[in-house]
Amino acid sequence: MAGVSYYAAAAAGTGRPSVVQFGAAPNRSRWVSRTRLRRRNAGGRFGLDSNSELQVDVKPSSGSMVEIELVATNTGSNLALHWGALQPGRRKHSILSFQSGSNSTLKIEIDNQGLESIEFVIVDEAQNKWFKNNGQNFQVHMRPPAGHHHQGQQHSATAGSIGRKNRDVMQLLSKNASTNDQVNKAAEATPSKCTVLDLFIKSLQEKHGSQVLCKKVFKLGEKEILALMSQVQGSTKVHLATDHVEPLILHWALAQKPGEWKAPPPGIVPAGSTLLEIACESPFSDAELNGLHYQVLEIELDDDSYKGMPFVLRSNQTWIKNSTSDFYLDFSRRTAKSSEVTLPFSFSPILAKNLLQKSSQNPMLIFFPCIKGTSDDSKGTAKALLERIADLEEDAQRSLMHRFNIAADLVDQAKDAGQLGLAGLLVWMKFMATRQLIWNKNYNVKPREISQAQDRFTDNLQSLYKMYPQHREMLRMIMYTVGRGGQGDVGQRIRDEILVIQRNNNCMGGMMEEWHQKLHNNTSPDDVVICQALMDYMNSDLDIKVYWDTLNKNGITKERLLSYDHPIHSEPNLKSEQKEGLLHDLTNYMRSLKAVHSGADLESAIGTCTGYTSESQGFMVGVEVNPVKGLPSGFPELLKFVLDHIEDKSVESLVEGLLEARAALRPLLLSSTERLKDLIFLDIALDSTVRTAIERSFENLNNASSEKIMYFISLVVENLALSTDDNENLLCCLKGWNHALEMSKHSDDQWALYAKAFLDRTRLALATKGEEYHDILQPSAEYLGSLLGIEQWTVNIFTEEIIRSGSAASLSLLLNRLDPVLRNVANLGSWQIISPVDVAGYVVVVDQLLTVQHKSYDKPTILVVEGVKGEEEIPDGVVAVLTPDMPDVLSHVSVRARNSKVLFATCFDPKILSELEQNEGKVLSLKPASVDISYREIPESELLVSSSIDTVDGQKAPSLSLAKKQFLGKYAISAEEFSDEMVGAKSRNIAYLNGKVPSWVSVPTSVALPFGTFETVLSDKINKEVSQKVKILTEKLDQGELGALSEIRNVLLNLTAPTYLVSELKEKMQSSGMPWPGDEGEQRWEQAWTAIKKVLASKWNERAYLSTRKVKLDHSNLSMAVLVQQIVSADYAFVIHTTNPSSGERSEIYAEVVKGLGETLVGAYPGRAMSFVCSKNNLESPKVLGYPSKPIGLFIQKSIIFRSDSNGEDLEGYAGAGLYDSVPMDKEEQVVLDYTTDPLVTDCSFRTSTLSSIARAGYDIEQLYGGSPQDIEGVVKDGKIYIVQTRPQM
């Protein structure tokens, strides 16, 4: 039909699509009005059926004309094209016929001016068969929709991509800042106030020794009534207590079966009672606890056959009930007698019931160690809140309306408990969402009432979101779990619209009617799945297997359908002629269901924020939602772009659009915006859609370039940062990935090494986040799970599932894909060998080196360890430590390994590590190369097992001795007085370097508190009490009580400085040109003295004490001097080994550098330092081995540092360095590091110059010691090198 132009015309006055009848077929003319998302294609290939395809090609013709060619393959009959040309808000329909043949062809030439797209379906006239695109119309996009392109600061969107704003990544920064931070902290620090009912329970347990068997709290408007059963000395009693003000009468009975009212025996009724025919009336008595008034009543039972106590209350002539039901205390939920299965007394009634039911089927279940009830189980939780939740769970199970209203009532208590309180709410809601808790139990409730309760709960959460920025991440997670809810018509539409659907589509009976009855009385999140299953069933040409597949994949079985109060017995049995109308109506209906039940449905969230009016006739007529005010310019068009591309197979443009929308939305989320909750749910939906889109892209990334994978990583890091409260580290990771991409595009030969550092840092950020979630959520999951009888497998994986539901899991998978690529490009191999030694031993797998560091293995052992921090000891008997963790090559544990001739290596390949773990218990021989380790299984006969665990390389470890140092009469000395008898090697070496190093190297001025000072101060009469306590604790320590170590350290902090020590130290510091802390006030001296005491007390830290014991050093002979130096406010800190410790190459210097102070290098701070080697023959050409991944730097402006300097740190054969503490007078500032602005990382000339200077300083110092390898620490400040200590390299 070349040369024919079609122009769209609007139906007069309707604003809706015009409807044009074609022929006699009743449904041909129906162009469905849709809210469902549609994929837009600028041409492409579509499947028609199993044998036929449709190829659509779009190409320009002349002027504004466009030619569209449609070719349908393998068709044997005539086809008709039902199509329409669309302008914004208008459409025109027509019908054309294909030229017949084995391949049917049709060409349309159309004037593109003003047109947005064409829509069409294809009909096989002979077989009356309609072809659609997955149940929807085919659509070919002609040009960008109007409003998608904006200039300047607006968002730019085209048919295929989104123009992202050029914004500084740090604009997305969130650091938990709060204008009322002190108020927030006070609120979190203040425990929730005890009510009189709490005090009543406590008095029963403490004063009377009562064992609480079961209890129940009921609401009386704003007040409460507590009913509980207790047992003391064989007597069973029911106690009722209430804070109700008006006098009350208890109208009660006993029951031996549910629903029964039976008058109690006269002998047990309380004084003043009146017996009735089937009940009894007893007055409450007034009482008081801690000045709080309440009413109480006690009933002593005479028989254990009663199952419960029904009751109502009367105040004057007003009857008070439990909503519309009687109150009921269920005795069957109490702890069983000793002859039956026994439960811990503090179990909730829900737990008792669940466990007793389950134990009847599996008696061992009752003894699972996870089932606890002691107060220790609640450590790390908002215990009172969780127990309150457990008390109210039975009420919550009546319906979702009850659950959400109870949750809304508990928000204040959760807020008062701070982060742990919100964690408790999240755990409870997650148990609910995963169907671990009952949603409805014989209670009819209108959908409107459920949505109103949801709305009330989420309104309360919204208020906290505004007030407490530091809890926004947790609040988002709760809201995601709960769903939006809504006042008024949102919930009611669920009830009303199903009737319209049934009437319009003539499906009033069977499964549809059963579903209607369920919806009418108790809608739930299951209805979203049921609706989707029905749509999938119809889209599959009524294949009932597809219906069941959708249900089962989402956890809904036949048994669950039958368990509803209004069960669904039937399968859908619909007709093909109902298909199109039902699909249209259910698509709309899904929006209503998701608007109430889903916290992450994108379409309904967008509709709620941007506004919508129903387009359909006779369906949801008059439903209108107004847009949120103040949305960014171009934001609705940006969201439309997202919806248009939601089903794209290539997700890159979609994810860019989603992230641009989240970034544009962020300023509104940080302010007290009107309808903030709607915007939060929109952001949650955008976040969730990013995750699903990324997961959908994994297959396409199988053969993707490294640049493509890095770009996707950057997108997911950005998404994760937008969902995280404290996101500075993630944003620095994002900047690093962006920089790595630029380096790769410009073929920088360092790009892979640089990217590997940010991969390691990103992994570390994910691990840190996982640990944070575990610490916050898992204790609450375990304690509440134990109270509610939740299945243990659900509790065990609770935190893991929370993490899996976010972007972190997708990010981890992407990192795993990129890691081997980077290692290959950067020639890193699968291993980093920290201490190269050929070894053989038995393989043992452990989680953390810290947990076994003091264990002794009686045979040569190869430890495969998940976690190594850097400060641990190597256990006796261990010949190798293999780990995926990445401690610094110069960390304490690395030095220990080299000194002890232990193979120590990091494995970067999870497959290799998994293979090693699978060899647990076997004997392996390991041989390290430069970047690899070869291993093989050997028979035990090849393994030489020493008769002593002290044997290393066939020789006994030497037993070292220390000569006790004496106090020589001086409390403080200058550097000129440093000698063997006064100070350790650390101080002496500094004094030796002073004046000998080149002029471009500086040595800080130093003074010291010499050996014997500590013992003299401790023996001073002003410290007599401290001395006596230390003596007692030392005796306990000598008897093997290691807990005495921390007690000794704490006691030593009470030491008082003698006046002569203060005066001598002041004189030495001032005469050496150092500032005296006391000149700034007495408080500053106290800070300095506290730091000194911490250094002296570190003689008793666990690692140092056990290390001396391991080599049989007499701990009492260990003397501690304190080296005092002014801190250099460092730009960088470094450690040099003048012989490469990994290879043993003496011609090569190895060094590590960190930004800020050196504590992050020598201490147990996560991440890796920048590392490099430099040939001593070419000090101008350092070679970078690895870029830094440490997320934190330590900085301090002006202060004094007090360094440990013992006589045990530099003994030959004993690596004592780093065992004792160095303490600055002032606390260091922790700064999240941005390496993209660090010239040491980004400026090649600066890096080469700085690293060369460090290497040259190391070489010159080594020469000062006659070529003896040195272990040197120093800093760089404004380009100048400062050496703070040197010692022989071990």
Side-chain angles (χ1 to χ4, degrees):
M1 295 291 293
V4 178
S5 298
Y6 290 87
Y7 294 92
T14 65
R16 292 192 294 269
S18 59
V19 179
V20 184
Q21 299 287 338
F22 298 103
N27 290 320
R28 279 191 188 178
S29 63
R30 188 172 188 183
W31 287 85
V32 177
S33 170
R34 299 180 311 282
T35 57
R36 184 179 171 92
L37 312 178
R38 299 176 299 192
R39 179 177 176 184
R40 299 192 171 202
N41 295 278
R45 187 183 298 273
F46 306 89
L48 296 180
D49 58 24
S50 58
N51 298 314
S52 302
E53 286 187 338
L54 175 67
Q55 176 68 43
V56 182
D57 292 311
V58 182
K59 55 187 177 181
S61 179
S62 60
S64 62
M65 302 297 287
V66 172
E67 181 183 274
I68 303 172
E69 182 180 38
L70 302 97
V71 179
T73 62
N74 298 321
T75 59
S77 55
N78 291 330
L79 300 179
L81 179 75
H82 288 250
W83 70 287
L86 282 72
Q87 279 184 319
R90 301 187 292 165
R91 48 178 95 198
K92 172 86 174 182
H93 302 285
S94 186
I95 180 169
L96 298 171
S97 296
F98 282 77
Q99 297 172 5
S100 62
S102 60
N103 287 352
S104 300
T105 305
L106 178 67
K107 290 185 179 180
I108 305 171
E109 191 172 81
I110 191 166
D111 190 339
N112 186 34
Q113 187 173 5
L115 293 184
E116 181 178 295
S117 60
I118 68 167
E119 282 191 6
F120 62 91
V121 293
I122 297 171
V123 185
D124 185 332
E125 299 278 7
Q127 301 183 45
N128 193 27
K129 187 174 182 180
W130 291 72
F131 296 103
K132 284 193 167 189
N133 184 22
N134 293 322
Q136 301 297 318
N137 300 333
F138 295 99
Q139 187 174 67
V140 176
H141 209 48
M142 307 294 292
R143 66 179 186 86
H148 270 214
H149 182 71
H150 295 271
Q151 300 296 326
Q153 292 301 307
Q154 296 179 332
H155 306 281
S156 171
T158 68
S161 64
I162 179 74
R164 297 206 62 185
K165 275 188 179 181
N166 185 20
R167 63 169 61 84
D168 181 0
V169 165
M170 300 312 289
Q171 289 179 4
L172 308 178
L173 179 64
S174 173
K175 295 185 72 172
N176 288 336
S178 174
T179 54
N180 57 343
D181 194 47
Q182 296 303 319
V183 175
N184 296 341
K185 289 179 180 177
E188 291 188 16
T190 304
S192 56
K193 186 178 180 180
C194 283
T195 68
V196 68
L197 301 186
D198 295 329
L199 296 173
F200 174 72
I201 296 174
K202 187 177 180 181
S203 70
L204 280 180
Q205 294 173 324
E206 292 181 353
K207 295 180 181 179
H208 307 294
S210 298
Q211 181 183 10
V212 177
L213 302 178
C214 62
K215 63 175 179 165
K216 189 81 173 67
V217 178
F218 303 95
K219 297 291 288 185
L220 302 179
E222 296 298 318
K223 303 298 183 180
E224 294 178 326
I225 184 168
L226 165 72
L228 67 81
M229 173 184 282
S230 73
Q231 190 171 59
V232 56
Q233 297 179 350
S235 175
T236 302
K237 296 180 180 182
V238 173
H239 307 266
L240 296 106
T242 178
D243 55 358
H244 193 274
V245 177
E246 300 295 328
L248 287 176
I249 299 293
L250 180 73
H251 186 90
W252 63 286
L254 295 171
Q256 292 181 321
K257 59 184 179 181
E260 181 181 46
W261 276 72
K262 184 176 181 181
I268 70 168
V269 299
S273 299
T274 302
L275 269 173
L276 307 175
E277 183 177 350
I278 61 169
C280 179
E281 289 196 342
S282 305
F284 281 78
S285 301
D286 291 330
E288 182 179 316
L289 273 172
N290 290 10
L292 300 174
H293 296 278
Y294 67 104
Q295 298 183 64
V296 66
L297 181 62
E298 180 181 295
I299 302 167
E300 185 170 348
L301 302 180
D302 65 341
D303 192 340
D304 279 346
S305 66
Y306 302 118
K307 302 301 182 186
M309 189 179 90
F311 63 93
V312 293
L313 300 167
R314 183 160 54 83
S315 177
N316 296 321
Q317 300 304 312
T318 301
W319 289 94
I320 302 173
K321 302 188 77 175
N322 186 21
S323 295
T324 58
S325 306
D326 298 335
F327 297 101
Y328 187 73
L329 180 62
D330 190 348
F331 298 165
S332 65
R333 295 189 175 96
R334 58 181 156 169
T335 307
K337 288 183 177 180
S338 58
S339 60
E340 301 171 299
V341 179
T342 303
L343 300 175
F345 89 91
S346 60
F347 275 16
S348 73
I350 296 292
L351 171 63
K353 179 181 179 182
N354 289 352
L355 286 181
L356 288 170
Q357 288 174 343
K358 294 173 186 176
S359 65
S360 65
Q361 302 165 357
N362 180 5
M364 289 305 295
L365 180 64
I366 205 69
F367 300 109
F368 279 9
C370 62
I371 299 171
K372 306 168 183 176
T374 67
S375 58
D376 290 340
D377 303 331
S378 63
K379 185 178 181 181
T381 73
K383 181 175 184 287
L385 173 68
L386 298 186
E387 292 177 350
R388 180 78 170 137
I389 288 172
D391 287 341
L392 295 170
E393 175 57 29
E394 186 178 5
D395 272 351
Q397 292 182 358
R398 297 169 73 182
S399 75
L400 290 176
M401 178 195 73
H402 289 82
R403 185 176 298 282
F404 293 136
N405 276 325
I406 290 170
D409 291 338
L410 292 174
V411 165
D412 275 346
Q413 186 177 350
K415 174 201 67 177
D416 292 341
Q419 189 176 46
L420 292 180
L422 296 176
L425 276 187
L426 173 60
V427 169
W428 187 35
M429 290 296 105
K430 191 68 175 177
F431 284 158
M432 177 271 296
T434 54
R435 303 189 182 98
Q436 294 297 311
L437 301 173
I438 295 171
W439 286 358
N440 182 266
K441 186 164 60 178
N442 302 319
Y443 195 93
N444 292 338
V445 60
K446 299 172 184 176
R448 179 180 66 248
E449 295 169 333
I450 293 176
S451 63
Q452 287 175 344
Q454 264 178 292
D455 198 44
R456 177 172 170 248
F457 181 30
T458 52
D459 274 347
N460 289 352
L461 296 175
Q462 172 189 252
S463 297
L464 295 188
Y465 189 96
K466 292 179 181 179
M467 295 171 59
Y468 301 98
Q470 69 271 34
H471 296 322
R472 284 175 176 165
E473 185 176 345
M474 189 75 68
L475 291 163
R476 279 171 53 92
M477 294 164 71
I478 300 172
M479 295 172 82
Y480 172 79
T481 304
V482 172
R484 181 184 178 278
Q487 287 282 1
D489 80 307
V490 178
Q492 187 59 30
R493 287 206 313 265
I494 291 177
R495 194 175 187 182
D496 296 341
E497 289 167 17
I498 190 63
L499 292 168
V500 178
I501 292 172
Q502 288 182 279
R503 185 174 63 248
N504 283 356
N505 296 280
N506 192 25
C507 50
M508 301 301 292
M511 178 268 170
M512 291 297 291
E513 177 58 25
E514 292 169 356
W515 187 34
H516 162 229
Q517 290 300 322
K518 177 197 179 299
L519 290 161
H520 188 81
N521 291 286
N522 233 306
T523 182
S524 70
D526 281 4
D527 295 314
V528 176
V529 180
I530 294 170
C531 187
Q532 186 63 54
L534 284 170
M535 290 193 292
D536 292 346
Y537 160 70
M538 288 180 286
N539 277 322
S540 66
D541 291 329
L542 309 182
D543 185 346
I544 195 64
K545 290 183 180 178
V546 173
Y547 169 79
W548 285 110
D549 282 347
T550 300
L551 291 178
N552 292 334
K553 285 175 183 176
N554 290 278
I556 298 181
T557 61
K558 288 183 179 180
E559 291 73 21
R560 183 161 183 84
L561 293 175
L562 293 172
S563 71
Y564 301 140
D565 290 341
H566 290 268
I568 299 176
H569 298 275
S570 309
E571 294 179 334
N573 184 21
L574 302 168
K575 300 176 182 178
S576 57
E577 56 264 29
Q578 296 172 296
K579 175 180 172 181
E580 187 172 0
L582 264 175
L583 272 173
H584 164 258
D585 290 350
L586 287 175
T587 298
N588 278 304
Y589 190 53
M590 179 68 92
R591 183 167 69 181
S592 296
L593 289 170
K594 287 184 175 180
V596 171
H597 294 303
S598 175
D601 175 57
L602 183 59
E603 188 177 4
S604 65
I606 289 176
T608 301
C609 291
T610 60
Y612 63 84
T613 302
S614 171
E615 297 179 358
S616 304
Q617 294 179 345
F619 187 80
M620 286 176 63
V621 174
V623 173
E624 185 171 349
V625 174
N626 294 320
V628 174
K629 295 178 182 178
L631 293 176
S633 176
F635 193 64
E637 291 81 8
L638 179 58
L639 295 178
K640 186 176 187 299
F641 173 89
V642 166
L643 292 181
D644 289 344
H645 291 267
I646 198 73
E647 295 178 3
D648 285 2
K649 187 174 182 181
S650 176
V651 304
E652 189 170 320
S653 294
L654 170 63
V655 175
E656 288 172 345
L658 290 162
L659 290 174
E660 184 61 25
R662 293 198 70 193
L665 191 60
R666 185 172 180 80
L668 296 179
L669 295 172
L670 300 180
S671 60
S672 297
T673 310
E674 182 183 353
R675 290 175 61 187
L676 176 61
K677 181 173 70 173
D678 293 337
L679 297 177
I680 295 171
F681 277 111
L682 173 58
D683 189 57
I684 289 171
L686 292 166
D687 175 16
S688 179
T689 309
V690 171
R691 187 187 76 250
T692 55
I694 292 293
E695 290 171 354
R696 194 166 79 234
S697 73
F698 281 157
E699 185 176 348
N700 294 336
L701 291 175
N702 282 337
N703 299 310
S705 67
S706 55
E707 283 186 11
K708 176 69 73 174
I709 298 175
M710 283 197 292
Y711 182 59
F712 269 76
I713 287 172
S714 72
L715 295 176
V716 183
V717 170
E718 181 179 354
N719 192 57
L720 191 59
L722 286 166
S723 304
T724 303
D725 278 347
D726 195 354
N727 65 4
E728 187 173 10
N729 185 30
L730 286 170
L731 292 178
C732 289
C733 289
L734 175 58
K735 293 182 72 175
W737 284 111
N738 291 339
H739 190 69
L741 271 168
E742 290 301 311
M743 292 174 69
S744 177
K745 289 175 182 177
H746 291 90
S747 302
D748 189 313
D749 61 2
Q750 295 282 296
W751 78 266
L753 202 60
Y754 179 90
K756 180 64 170 70
F758 278 93
L759 186 146
D760 293 341
R761 180 170 178 176
T762 307
R763 271 185 174 156
L764 180 60
L766 292 180
T768 302
K769 195 66 183 173
E771 291 173 5
E772 176 187 320
Y773 277 171
H774 187 275
D775 292 344
I776 295 169
L777 298 176
Q778 196 61 31
S780 293
E782 291 174 1
Y783 188 56
L784 187 59
S786 72
L787 294 175
L788 299 180
I790 302 297
E791 292 179 284
Q792 188 60 28
W793 67 269
T794 301
V795 173
N796 290 344
I797 64 171
F798 183 86
T799 303
E800 180 183 341
E801 288 302 306
I802 290 286
I803 294 171
R804 286 179 185 275
S805 67
S807 296
S810 301
L811 180 55
S812 181
L813 289 173
L814 289 171
L815 297 174
N816 289 342
R817 288 195 181 194
L818 184 62
D819 194 351
V821 176
L822 297 180
R823 284 190 281 106
N824 181 55
V825 173
N827 298 313
L828 294 176
S830 299
W831 293 86
Q832 180 179 22
I833 313 301
I834 298 171
S835 172
V837 184
D838 291 0
V839 299
Y842 294 86
V843 176
V844 174
V845 180
V846 298
D847 184 47
Q848 298 290 324
L849 183 60
L850 188 67
T851 61
V852 297
Q853 66 174 332
H854 303 311
K855 184 174 180 178
S856 292
Y857 292 90
D858 57 3
K859 52 189 177 182
T861 299
I862 297 169
L863 285 183
V864 182
V865 187
E866 180 64 28
V868 177
K869 294 184 179 298
E871 289 195 329
E872 301 91 339
E873 291 292 319
I874 305 291
D876 286 338
V878 168
V879 297
V881 177
L882 310 177
T883 177
D885 227 335
M886 294 175 286
D888 291 312
V889 173
L890 303 182
S891 66
H892 174 80
V893 70
S894 301
V895 173
R896 279 280 182 220
R898 288 191 291 269
N899 185 58
S900 303
K901 301 294 186 287
V902 170
L903 172 60
F904 188 30
T906 293
C907 180
F908 299 115
D909 192 329
K911 292 182 180 178
I912 295 177
L913 204 66
S914 177
E915 290 172 1
L916 286 166
E917 289 173 346
Q918 291 170 14
N919 283 289
E920 185 167 20
K922 297 179 181 178
V923 180
L924 297 185
S925 171
L926 307 179
K927 292 186 177 296
S930 58
V931 291
D932 199 7
I933 292 179
S934 61
Y935 64 90
R936 63 185 178 89
E937 186 176 359
I938 60 173
E940 289 184 283
S941 58
E942 289 188 30
L943 185 65
L944 296 176
V945 182
S946 171
S947 59
S948 170
I949 64 170
D950 289 328
T951 300
V952 178
D953 289 346
Q955 297 184 6
K956 272 196 173 185
S959 180
L960 304 177
S961 61
L962 279 176
K964 190 174 181 66
K965 298 293 184 177
Q966 302 298 318
F967 181 61
L968 299 181
K970 293 185 177 182
Y971 288 93
I973 57 176
S974 61
E976 293 77 17
E977 301 173 90
F978 291 177
S979 67
D980 289 358
E981 295 305 314
M982 301 284 276
V983 292
K986 187 182 296 182
S987 300
R988 298 197 307 275
N989 287 336
I990 282 295
Y992 174 77
L993 291 178
N994 204 7
K996 296 183 177 64
V997 293
S999 60
W1000 52 273
V1001 176
S1002 293
V1003 178
T1005 302
S1006 305
V1007 301
L1009 303 177
F1011 292 140
T1013 300
F1014 164 68
E1015 290 79 5
T1016 304
V1017 169
L1018 183 62
S1019 64
D1020 193 289
K1021 61 183 180 180
I1022 61 173
N1023 291 309
K1024 181 179 180 181
E1025 184 177 347
V1026 173
S1027 178
Q1028 290 174 341
K1029 289 181 179 179
V1030 169
K1031 182 179 179 181
I1032 294 170
L1033 290 169
T1034 302
E1035 291 173 354
K1036 291 172 62 177
L1037 183 62
D1038 292 341
Q1039 295 169 7
E1041 295 186 34
L1042 296 181
L1045 288 168
S1046 61
E1047 293 184 67
I1048 292 173
R1049 294 197 302 272
N1050 289 331
V1051 167
L1052 290 175
L1053 294 181
N1054 296 315
L1055 281 171
T1056 299
T1059 55
Y1060 26 89
L1061 181 150
V1062 178
S1063 60
E1064 286 189 34
L1065 181 59
K1066 177 180 178 180
E1067 187 274 326
K1068 291 297 182 184
M1069 290 180 69
Q1070 288 180 333
S1071 63
S1072 299
M1074 298 175 67
W1076 170 243
D1079 289 342
E1080 301 176 44
E1082 184 63 26
Q1083 181 183 359
R1084 293 291 287 163
W1085 160 246
E1086 287 301 326
Q1087 281 182 253
W1089 176 236
T1090 298
I1092 292 170
K1093 289 186 287 187
K1094 287 180 179 179
V1095 174
L1096 297 172
S1098 69
K1099 173 181 175 179
W1100 283 272
N1101 71 52
E1102 283 81 0
R1103 189 183 63 178
Y1105 177 79
L1106 292 168
S1107 180
T1108 56
R1109 195 173 70 171
K1110 183 176 179 180
V1111 294
K1112 300 179 174 60
L1113 278 175
D1114 187 342
H1115 187 261
S1116 63
N1117 285 344
L1118 188 121
S1119 298
M1120 185 75 73
V1122 180
L1123 176 63
V1124 184
Q1125 294 177 322
Q1126 190 168 1
I1127 289 179
V1128 178
S1129 181
D1131 299 323
Y1132 305 100
F1134 57 81
V1135 173
I1136 306 169
H1137 277 196
T1138 58
T1139 292
N1140 189 331
S1142 296
S1143 64
E1145 181 58 59
R1146 296 201 61 171
S1147 66
E1148 193 171 64
I1149 290 172
Y1150 175 89
E1152 292 181 345
V1153 186
V1154 294
K1155 196 167 177 63
L1157 299 178
E1159 181 59 23
T1160 60
L1161 182 55
V1162 299
Y1165 283 78
R1168 299 292 292 272
M1170 172 179 276
S1171 58
F1172 72 95
V1173 292
C1174 193
S1175 170
K1176 293 176 183 177
N1177 296 322
N1178 185 8
L1179 294 171
E1180 301 301 321
S1181 300
K1183 178 185 177 182
V1184 175
L1185 301 179
Y1187 284 93
S1189 62
K1190 286 184 181 291
I1192 297 296
L1194 298 178
F1195 295 86
I1196 206 164
Q1197 289 304 312
K1198 181 182 178 182
S1199 189
I1200 304 293
I1201 189 168
F1202 301 91
R1203 301 182 184 275
S1204 60
D1205 189 24
S1206 76
N1207 62 336
E1209 292 187 47
D1210 297 295
L1211 290 173
E1212 186 175 351
Y1214 174 61
L1219 287 176
Y1220 307 100
D1221 296 342
S1222 295
V1223 184
M1225 187 175 80
D1226 297 284
K1227 186 175 178 59
E1228 308 98 326
E1229 179 188 4
Q1230 287 197 1
V1231 176
V1232 178
L1233 298 175
D1234 179 3
Y1235 292 113
T1236 65
T1237 61
D1238 183 358
L1240 191 66
V1241 174
T1242 60
D1243 186 330
C1244 182
S1245 297
F1246 179 85
R1247 179 169 63 248
T1248 299
S1249 172
T1250 302
L1251 300 187
S1252 293
S1253 295
I1254 292 171
R1256 186 173 296 280
Y1259 176 78
D1260 288 348
I1261 290 171
E1262 183 184 59
Q1263 294 307 303
L1264 289 176
Y1265 284 91
S1268 174
Q1270 293 294 299
D1271 175 354
I1272 305 163
E1273 294 181 23
V1275 300
V1276 181
K1277 174 64 176 176
D1278 297 330
K1280 189 172 182 65
I1281 304 294
Y1282 294 81
I1283 301 300
V1284 298
Q1285 69 179 58
T1286 185
R1287 54 179 169 255
Q1289 181 178 331
M1290 303 298 292

